[in-house]
Amino acid sequence: MTKKHTATAALRRGLLAATFVAGACAAFAGAASAQNLRVGLAEDPDVLDPHQARTFVGRIVFTALCDKLVDVTPDLKFVPRLATSWEWGADGKSLTFKLRDGVKFHDGEPFNAEAVKYNIERAKTLPESRRKSEITSVASIEVVDPLTVKLVLSQPDVTVLAQLSDRSGMMLSPKAAAAAGAAAGNKPVCSGPYQFVERVQNDRIVLQRFPDHWNKAAYAFERVTYLPIPDSTVRLANLRSGDIDIIERLEATDVKTAKADANLKTASAVGLGYQGMNINLANGERAKNPLGQDKRVRQALELSIDRDAINQVVFEGQFAPGNQPFPPANPYNAKEIPIPARDVNKAKALLKEAGVTTPVAVEVTMANNPRSQATMQVIQSMAQEAGFAIKLKATEFATMLNEGTKGDFQANQYGWSGRPDPDGNIHAFVTCKGGLNDWKYCNPEVDKLLDEARTLADPARRKANYTAVQQILSKDLPTIYLYHESWIWGMKKKIDGFVAHPDGMIRLDNVKG
Amino acid sequence: MLNFIARRILIAIPTIVLVSIFVFVLQKLLPGDPILVLAGEERDPVVIEALREKYRLNDPLPLQYFAWAFQALQGNLGISLRTNLPVLDLIGEKLPVTLQLAAMAMTFALAIGIPAGIMAAVKKGTWWDYAATGLALWGLSIPNFFLGIMLIFLVSVQLNWLPASGYVSPAESLSQNLRTLVMPAFVLGNALAASIMRHTRSAMLGVLKQDYVRTARAKGLLERVVIMRHALRNALVPVVTVATLLFGELLAGAVLTEQIFTIPGFGKLIVDAVFNRDYAVVQGVVLCTAIGYIGLNLLADVLYVVLNPRLRTR
């Protein structure tokens, strides 16, 4: 028997050894240097060509990689970036930029009026460009002198400036872009504070400080590494374990955990976009039901909802309830139209007045993510009290968009990431021919007011138009706006100088740590 | 032997063609328009039409398939709709990552599963047996994603031993590479270890009852020699076959594990591609996986023959 014991003892040792491999490997310790800022993103960006890109996280990378003509401040004012000043023509049909002198692209090529002309023309003509509808009103670009460029517009359009504060206004080196063609995003050459080093898809994007940047003193980090980590729990775990310095889109429900950690801090800003419930009014057969045909039924549905309760229950009070496409702090938010309080009796009375049989059956399509599902479940139970029987249909996002375009929905819940200019949050969604108006809302009065607002340079007059539109929309209710998401960042305590912007970007100027 | 392998490869060809057709047709049945996903918030009809033309999505389905298959035969699997990168490059970049992960997971599985299986068989009905069997049940029952998140919290957040997620290539730093992969490999290998332990245990129990084992003992051989040289060698034949086939399963398990630990491998590539309706990538990856599975099956058959000389005479 002793021999048998020897054999099992050997096996036992093997077993123990295997168990401790994990522990042994932990001995390789090592932390990355503070010169490298590691940023945790919620998704992997798509192609890194500003004219082709479409993802939100892509814009975060561009903030460091590609400078644009103008930037936008947290209170939504436009400020110089590559352009130092700009002036509208007297008829509103031209916009002239004075450009910053001495700016270089990452390949050493000079930035000038020719480069601006090349880039805007590329955004307008590249077959793969996703920027075309943003700058349709730009008819031609004239080089006045090497540092002056004039955009000639086909009609007055004040929204152009806002478009140029984002990807439409980002500048690629004309030489590199012309050589690479549609593949320019594989090795982007821009003029931003950081230049492209490498990208491993789904893993990381590495940028290196650009030594010839016009404002290089403002950028402290030698390197920036963006790491896509889709799972929010894992993203936070990386931040807590010290593997990452800053993460975007910390879940509202995780804010408490992050705040409780002595090494971390958080920052947040209410975003530019909104989340809402869109109702099919005239897109095919599925619009033919009481909810789609009678605005009193839609008003009843709105009155059954307690938006503040949704914010408290689902988002721990971190977001901002809303009943308009513009968030509460946005200058175009109409204070005259407050969020209606929940009123079940009034909702019931409206349903009675509409003469519909209760419960009113409604199917709402939503994205199959926890956030949409939780929101809609709360609404489902609230609306039930007022006489609605809401059936929820969780669908994968791409499918939901497709069904929306085809009119295969009664109502759907999704949102819009938001634009700094008010036009970007409303025009395409509610004008008769709007490209994103899947519910086919059509009201000539709204079209007239919104088209006119595009031409008004005076903010007060513009606001009057938007307010008038909202007075109409808050009664017609093609979309029941629900809330405005907040961008929440989690970061190490030592990160200093980070400014929370409502556009959700991570701007690195004057950030240290 | 060569004849046998050649015959198996010939049979594999129609299988691969069928798989490629299935994948092609099935993903076209997926709801959701890749171009709408690709266009994002830009919904200009002109842009959408241009994109559709570029990716030949207006052609009839058989034409699309033949165009793809013709290119694939020449080693061109197309370009990713999402990132504009060649699919073959993406596969070349991601496959080694997943293979390394799978190999490490298999190492864990074998290092835990075989000794535990032997212990359980040799000490049948004792505390050792119950512990090993209980552990196997636990390993089979605990979901990957749960074990993964729990380990991240324990090992990374609380103990700060290993990075919580991510990947470093071995060329860059071998130690960092092992540090990033050890946890996911353990998670992935965990369920497999259980399966291998159970196979080893039952195979060993069968062998230990054989006459030749009794003879070996009667000869007065050391118990260690009886178990390791006489019993284990025979018991390993079915285990090796199972392990080779389980390697294919590892690739499937990697989909979830890579998602949790954010490892830029094959699994993450295909999940992202499906969600973005990146047809070219899905097709390329599935084709590669099918070839891999068939290859592994072939390998299992060959190994079986190598390990069991009695089969060679056929």
Side-chain angles (χ1 to χ4, degrees):
Chain A
M1 282 317 264
T2 49
K3 290 166 192 167
K4 200 170 176 179
H5 274 148
T6 325
T8 47
L11 287 173
R12 214 177 296 156
R13 277 199 299 274
L15 198 60
L16 282 174
T19 323
F20 284 109
V21 170
C25 286
F28 300 99
S33 82
Q35 290 296 303
N36 182 11
L37 183 77
R38 292 154 304 179
V39 181
L41 302 177
E43 301 153 51
D44 191 34
D46 58 336
V47 56
L48 291 179
D49 173 344
H51 299 147
Q52 294 185 57
R54 59 175 183 81
T55 54
F56 170 75
V57 282
R59 287 169 58 207
I60 296 184
V61 177
F62 288 135
T63 305
L65 182 66
C66 295
D67 268 344
K68 48 206 183 182
L69 289 176
V70 290
D71 202 357
V72 61
T73 60
D75 54 354
L76 305 183
K77 296 209 164 54
F78 298 105
V79 291
R81 190 80 195 165
L82 287 176
T84 50
S85 66
W86 49 91
E87 201 180 340
W88 287 96
D91 57 355
K93 287 173 76 172
S94 72
L95 177 58
T96 307
F97 287 99
K98 282 276 176 209
L99 305 177
R100 194 174 292 280
D101 195 6
V103 173
K104 276 187 183 150
F105 287 105
H106 297 151
D107 59 357
E109 291 288 304
F111 165 77
N112 52 31
E114 283 292 344
V116 175
K117 181 176 160 72
Y118 173 85
N119 272 280
I120 295 178
E121 281 174 354
R122 184 176 187 265
K124 282 184 75 70
T125 57
L126 187 76
E128 293 86 357
S129 168
R130 314 282 148 77
R131 303 281 86 83
K132 287 174 190 172
S133 63
E134 296 175 4
I135 45 171
T136 35
S137 56
V138 179
S140 64
I141 303 110
E142 292 170 12
V143 175
V144 179
D145 65 53
L147 292 177
T148 311
V149 66
K150 182 177 172 187
L151 271 55
V152 180
L153 310 181
S154 52
Q155 75 236 17
D157 181 3
V158 292
T159 70
V160 167
L161 191 62
Q163 301 295 6
L164 297 175
S165 75
D166 201 337
R167 289 168 295 197
S168 287
M170 287 179 187
M171 299 289 136
L172 287 160
S173 157
K175 192 176 155 196
N186 295 349
K187 201 178 177 306
V189 183
C190 291
S191 66
Y194 289 88
Q195 55 186 329
F196 182 79
V197 177
E198 65 160 343
R199 170 177 196 178
V200 180
Q201 210 204 346
N202 278 337
D203 182 33
R204 69 194 131 145
I205 292 168
V206 183
L207 308 181
Q208 172 92 37
R209 204 153 77 114
F210 177 45
D212 292 333
H213 189 254
W214 56 273
N215 193 21
K216 61 175 182 245
Y219 295 88
F221 298 97
E222 208 37 58
R223 262 178 182 243
V224 186
T225 307
Y226 296 91
L227 300 146
I229 306 174
D231 189 304
S232 58
T233 313
V234 178
R235 205 155 61 242
L236 177 60
N238 270 287
L239 182 68
R240 294 180 68 194
S241 70
D243 294 312
I244 277 186
D245 304 305
I246 178 166
I247 60 170
E248 58 119 359
R249 277 182 275 178
L250 180 68
E251 282 294 327
T253 43
D254 285 336
V255 170
K256 263 188 209 152
T257 316
K259 284 198 165 145
D261 192 318
N263 299 317
L264 304 182
K265 61 181 177 182
T266 62
S268 75
V270 175
L272 299 172
Y274 63 82
Q275 288 286 327
M277 202 163 39
N278 311 299
I279 294 151
N280 189 349
L281 305 179
N283 191 353
E285 285 301 306
R286 295 207 61 194
K288 293 178 183 152
N289 57 70
L291 186 71
Q293 300 306 309
D294 192 331
K295 66 181 173 190
R296 286 170 300 188
V297 179
R298 297 195 288 277
Q299 287 164 3
L301 180 58
E302 183 184 38
L303 283 170
S304 76
I305 300 170
D306 182 342
R307 291 166 164 103
D308 197 47
I310 297 175
N311 185 35
Q312 296 302 332
V313 172
V314 186
F315 306 115
E316 308 233 339
Q318 295 288 334
F319 289 1
N323 64 331
Q324 300 177 25
F326 316 126
N330 185 297
Y332 288 93
N333 182 288
K335 302 282 178 247
E336 302 87 325
I337 312 168
I339 298 175
R342 184 173 194 238
D343 190 338
V344 175
N345 289 331
K346 203 169 158 194
K348 282 180 176 165
L350 276 167
L351 287 181
K352 202 168 170 191
E353 191 189 315
V356 293
T357 45
T358 51
V360 180
V362 178
E363 186 190 72
V364 183
T365 313
M366 61 192 177
N368 56 355
N369 62 55
R371 204 181 260 192
S372 286
Q373 289 178 19
T375 306
M376 281 315 304
Q377 280 159 3
V378 173
I379 291 178
Q380 186 181 38
S381 74
M382 286 172 170
Q384 194 182 7
E385 285 177 43
F388 289 91
I390 296 185
K391 199 176 118 200
L392 300 179
K393 184 181 152 202
T395 309
E396 184 255 345
F397 195 73
T399 312
M400 179 168 77
L401 284 185
N402 204 21
E403 288 179 356
T405 314
K406 288 192 299 200
D408 186 9
F409 72 106
Q410 193 184 352
N412 58 27
Q413 196 279 302
Y414 65 83
W416 176 246
S417 62
R419 297 289 181 267
D421 189 90
D423 183 79
N425 275 17
I426 190 166
H427 194 282
F429 299 92
V430 295
T431 49
C432 296
K433 292 204 164 112
L436 299 165
N437 182 359
D438 283 347
W439 29 97
K440 304 289 176 216
Y441 175 71
C442 187
N443 182 338
E445 177 67 14
V446 167
D447 278 25
K448 195 175 135 256
L449 286 163
L450 289 179
D451 286 343
E452 190 188 50
R454 285 183 162 178
T455 66
L456 300 172
D458 174 13
R461 285 188 61 201
R462 270 189 103 188
K463 182 168 179 180
N465 274 34
Y466 287 118
T467 304
V469 167
Q470 303 216 56
Q471 295 284 11
I472 301 172
L473 293 181
S474 64
K475 297 196 175 60
D476 286 354
L477 291 174
T479 293
I480 299 175
Y481 299 101
L482 296 170
Y483 65 89
H484 306 278
E485 260 177 88
S486 293
W487 303 114
I488 311 175
W489 295 269
M491 66 199 85
K492 287 184 179 164
K493 267 236 163 85
K494 62 171 189 174
I495 300 281
D496 202 28
F498 175 82
V499 179
H501 278 257
D503 61 5
M505 297 297 110
I506 298 175
R507 289 173 175 79
L508 294 173
D509 45 331
N510 303 313
V511 177
K512 295 180 181 74
Chain B
M1 186 69 149
L2 279 177
N3 217 338
F4 165 76
I5 295 175
R7 211 167 48 232
R8 290 297 307 264
I9 290 176
L10 271 182
I11 296 172
I13 292 172
T15 317
I16 290 170
V17 172
L18 273 179
V19 166
S20 73
I21 294 177
F22 269 128
V23 177
F24 202 86
V25 174
L26 280 179
Q27 69 171 346
K28 300 283 166 175
L29 290 179
L30 270 181
D33 183 338
I35 297 303
L36 280 189
V37 181
L38 203 58
E41 291 183 338
E42 163 77 79
R43 296 271 197 94
D44 187 334
V46 181
V47 177
I48 287 177
E49 200 42 43
L51 288 169
R52 232 183 265 287
E53 277 301 317
K54 178 174 176 189
Y55 294 106
R56 310 192 56 159
L57 291 169
N58 282 334
D59 292 354
L61 208 52
L63 213 66
Q64 285 185 44
Y65 175 76
F66 284 120
W68 173 78
F70 184 70
Q71 291 293 323
L73 279 177
Q74 299 169 49
N76 176 12
L77 291 175
I79 62 164
S80 158
L81 268 66
R82 183 176 146 86
T83 55
N84 282 346
L85 295 170
V87 175
L88 209 61
D89 289 5
L90 283 175
I91 291 175
E93 190 180 284
K94 309 299 175 196
L95 188 59
V97 177
T98 300
L99 284 180
Q100 191 197 351
L101 175 65
M104 282 175 68
M106 188 49 98
T107 313
F108 269 114
L110 293 174
I112 298 170
I114 292 183
I118 299 171
M119 288 295 282
V122 172
K123 303 222 154 200
K124 183 170 175 265
T126 67
W127 179 85
W128 274 103
D129 185 18
Y130 298 134
T133 315
L135 211 66
L137 189 67
W138 178 80
L140 281 176
S141 320
I142 192 162
N144 258 352
F145 56 87
F146 180 74
L147 182 62
I149 296 276
M150 288 300 122
L151 274 181
I152 290 177
F153 273 108
L154 178 69
V155 180
S156 303
V157 178
Q158 297 299 330
L159 300 172
N160 227 326
W161 283 358
L162 294 170
S165 71
Y167 174 76
V168 175
S169 86
E172 201 175 312
S173 159
L174 185 62
S175 70
Q176 276 297 329
N177 171 264
L178 292 175
R179 275 166 52 83
T180 51
L181 283 182
V182 72
M183 224 173 5
F186 176 77
V187 169
L188 190 54
N190 181 54
L192 227 57
S195 208
I196 287 175
M197 178 264 152
R198 288 164 58 130
H199 275 100
T200 312
R201 181 178 178 272
S202 61
M204 275 302 275
L205 282 178
V207 171
L208 285 174
K209 282 194 204 112
Q210 302 269 330
D211 290 346
Y212 74 89
V213 172
R214 196 180 49 200
T215 313
R217 284 202 180 121
K219 277 200 301 190
L221 288 180
L222 286 175
E223 183 65 17
R224 177 162 47 95
V225 178
V226 174
I227 290 172
M228 301 303 267
R229 195 170 300 162
H230 293 261
L232 184 62
R233 275 186 97 171
N234 281 297
L236 270 187
V237 175
V239 175
V240 167
T241 320
V242 167
T244 317
L245 294 178
L246 283 178
F247 198 81
E249 222 163 85
L250 271 184
L251 296 180
V255 171
L256 213 58
T257 314
E258 285 177 5
Q259 209 60 23
I260 300 162
F261 289 97
T262 330
I263 294 165
F266 231 45
K268 242 183 105 44
L269 183 66
I270 194 161
V271 170
D272 281 9
V274 169
F275 279 127
N276 288 295
R277 301 292 185 273
D278 201 338
Y279 288 169
V281 175
V282 177
Q283 274 150 224
V285 170
V286 173
L287 185 72
C288 263
T289 314
I291 293 173
Y293 258 89
I294 289 166
L296 282 172
N297 267 298
L298 181 64
L299 185 70
D301 287 343
V302 173
L303 276 179
Y304 203 73
V305 177
V306 171
L307 285 174
N308 194 343
R310 273 171 297 182
L311 292 173
R312 280 183 219 161
T313 48
R314 252 201 312 152

